[in-house]
Amino acid sequence: MITHELIPLTLPQQRFVDALESSPKLRASFSMSVSLTGPLDVAALLTSLHHLVLRRDALRLAMRRTPAGSWGQWFREAPPLSEVTTCQAVHAPSDDKFSRYVVKLATRDAATPWRLDEEYPFRFRLIRRSQGDHVLLLTFAKQAVDGALYLLLPGDLWSVYHALLAGEPAPGEPGNGFAEALRRREAGGSPDPAEFWRSRLARARPCRFPAPAAPVAPTTSAAPAAADGEPGPRTFRFSLVGEEAQVLRGAVRRARCSELQLVQAALAEAVFERVPDDTLAITLPVDTRRSYERGVLGQFGVNLPLVLTRPASGAGMVAQVRHEWLQVLRNRHVTSRTVRRLAPSSTGWLGADEANNLRLNYLPHTPVAPVGTRGDGALCVAYGRYPPRVLRESAAVHLRVGSAPDRLDFTLSCAARGGPDEAGVALAASLERLMRRHAEGCR
């Protein structure tokens, strides 16, 4: 069923719309690059991508401003198969030149503003270098989807692809999962968590780690200076690989917490070591899907603070994070009404991150590597080889964690304008030491 009536935007959608109105060049995209080596059935892949758009109504979302000045959204019909994916063949004399070209395209797709009153909230691009070498670039508007797409879409894509190769019908039927979720939220019925957040926000203060005086403009990894001449984010990376990652997960089980909670505790300890504050708040994207919406693609992510106090010990930090995280999850269904009830104390804390200077994103990687069912070889799939060179930091400290079965990758960006490099170096060293201490503690 296709819906044409306007549905009001949810809180996270409204946040992105407001941010884009104040900063039209703001990047508001999720990007996924997929390297495909081996016998690819291009027709089956293009049909699978079309099926994604048919089955996932969030990929058919449209937005426009109403005569009253507010924003509304509706769901349109899917475009024909020939219009879903842009296909091109590229001749590149070297791997380096090919990589630079693909990253340039990914960067352009990610940085181009979205006009959702005229275009769909996705950009699919299939690049062919040779018969056995392709790259698929997938770009999505954040007004329509959240980070769960990294977990949901690979399984959708390759299950349809394999079914087509086997001559079977594509699994799943077109549905309106996101539209139905939006209507349920409009109908209300969930308790308003305003009182919980009133008590938490009474303690929430930006910590005194050097914070930017204004949002840092978009930068590239090759050119860390912003367009206005201000310094861009300093980025520090480290990984726990193989046995180190497995040992750390043993520590997680012994502490009876999640991997994310252990990382949150380590980040909080590292920051507490560098600031005099006795309270800090870490902003993180929280999934507000209900249990029956776990498989629904859409924009359900709302930014909420985890408010923590300085502990007496590392073990106390983990216990505090576990307790506070459970409380946040119980009170995660924050709406625009909640924000209005708590204004002005909610400004910069509920549903937004612009005013905060500690942020954490955690993504468990579960890549799907399908094996070809015909030809003389297997189709090898690799994710993330061609990330766009677009980065915008509004937080002074932004930790990104990628969790795979055999490793954890940590990327710490310190975007404190005018802050010394030594502050970021010391914070990164503290965080790495604390993560390794947790692993060493259970050897």
Side-chain angles (χ1 to χ4, degrees):
M1 182 178 66
I2 308 300
T3 64
H4 296 282
E5 71 274 16
L6 286 183
I7 304 173
L9 273 57
T10 62
L11 176 61
Q13 291 179 305
Q14 188 65 53
R15 182 180 75 83
F16 283 117
V17 168
D18 292 342
L20 288 169
E21 287 192 325
S22 60
S23 302
K25 294 184 179 181
L26 173 68
R27 179 196 173 192
S29 304
F30 287 109
S31 303
M32 181 187 298
S33 66
V34 189
S35 179
L36 305 166
T37 307
L40 175 68
D41 188 318
V42 173
L45 179 63
L46 297 180
T47 302
S48 301
L49 290 167
H50 187 238
H51 185 79
L52 282 181
V53 180
L54 286 170
R55 183 167 182 261
R56 298 292 192 176
D57 64 344
L59 300 183
R60 295 181 274 109
L61 179 150
M63 287 185 182
R64 68 173 173 84
R65 191 182 288 278
T66 68
S70 61
W71 282 86
Q73 58 189 326
W74 73 99
F75 296 85
R76 65 188 96 187
E77 296 181 357
L81 186 150
S82 60
E83 296 179 12
V84 168
T85 308
T86 300
C87 299
Q88 63 186 108
V90 174
H91 172 72
S94 68
D95 291 343
D96 183 60
K97 287 187 176 180
F98 179 73
S99 178
R100 289 204 304 269
Y101 177 74
V102 174
V103 169
K104 180 180 179 180
L105 289 179
T107 301
R108 186 177 68 187
D109 284 348
T112 301
W114 296 94
R115 301 185 308 276
L116 296 185
D117 57 335
E118 301 176 0
E119 63 179 326
Y120 288 86
F122 65 86
R123 295 171 183 141
F124 296 164
R125 188 186 297 272
L126 181 63
I127 305 166
R128 174 180 176 173
R129 186 181 183 187
S130 67
Q131 185 174 357
D133 190 359
H134 295 78
V135 174
L136 178 65
L137 299 179
L138 307 174
T139 309
F140 304 89
K142 288 186 177 180
Q143 300 97 306
V145 298
D146 58 28
L149 69 91
Y150 294 110
L151 303 177
L152 296 175
L153 287 194
D156 277 4
L157 179 65
W158 297 117
S159 62
V160 175
Y161 179 81
H162 283 306
L164 293 173
L165 290 189
E168 300 171 355
E173 294 294 331
N176 277 337
F178 190 42
E180 293 171 1
L182 292 172
R183 291 193 187 92
R184 283 193 294 266
R185 280 159 173 71
E186 272 300 295
S190 297
D192 188 350
E195 291 309 313
F196 168 84
W197 287 110
R198 192 186 309 280
S199 66
R200 288 306 186 275
L201 297 182
R203 297 189 289 119
R205 299 287 187 279
C207 78
R208 278 174 277 182
F209 191 88
V216 178
T219 68
T220 70
S221 59
D228 60 3
E230 295 293 344
R234 295 87 164 177
T235 300
F236 310 89
R237 295 180 174 87
F238 68 93
S239 299
L240 300 179
V241 182
E243 183 182 359
E244 289 181 310
Q246 298 309 315
V247 170
L248 180 70
R249 284 163 180 148
V252 168
R253 291 190 294 271
R254 287 168 176 79
R256 296 182 179 180
C257 65
S258 69
E259 189 173 284
L260 171 58
Q261 289 168 349
L262 192 69
V263 173
Q264 291 168 338
L267 176 61
E269 284 189 83
V271 174
F272 273 129
E273 287 181 358
R274 317 228 64 82
V275 300
D277 308 271
D278 290 326
T279 303
L280 62 82
I282 301 174
T283 295
L284 63 158
V286 176
D287 188 346
T288 62
R289 288 172 176 81
R290 294 169 171 85
S291 58
Y292 49 84
E293 297 169 340
R294 286 301 168 197
V296 177
L297 184 68
Q299 180 49 269
F300 294 91
V302 60
N303 293 317
L304 298 174
L306 191 72
V307 183
L308 304 169
T309 57
R310 185 182 295 274
S313 66
M317 188 80 260
V318 172
Q320 182 184 171
V321 165
R322 185 173 55 214
H323 175 266
E324 290 299 313
W325 181 230
L326 289 174
Q327 295 300 312
V328 168
L329 288 180
R330 291 190 184 109
N331 294 275
R332 69 187 184 277
H333 296 297
V334 175
T335 64
S336 299
R337 177 173 175 269
T338 307
V339 172
R340 289 194 298 269
R341 283 188 63 186
L342 297 178
S345 63
S346 62
T347 303
W349 291 111
L350 299 184
D353 61 357
E354 287 77 7
N356 301 324
N357 61 350
L358 295 178
R359 181 169 173 82
L360 191 153
N361 287 79
Y362 173 87
L363 178 65
H365 295 304
T366 55
V368 180
V371 176
T373 58
R374 54 182 197 170
D376 57 358
L379 178 64
C380 298
V381 178
Y383 294 84
R385 288 185 179 175
Y386 305 97
R389 287 181 178 150
V390 179
L391 180 64
R392 182 185 188 274
E393 297 291 350
S394 59
V397 177
H398 191 168
L399 176 62
R400 299 173 179 85
V401 183
S403 176
D406 62 339
R407 63 187 297 132
L408 284 94
D409 297 312
F410 297 82
T411 302
L412 181 70
S413 298
C414 295
R417 192 172 82 175
D421 286 336
E422 290 79 4
V425 171
L427 181 63
S430 294
L431 178 63
E432 182 173 5
R433 172 178 54 80
L434 289 166
M435 292 304 305
R436 296 189 186 281
R437 187 189 73 184
H438 284 298
E440 291 292 334
C442 68
R443 285 187 184 273

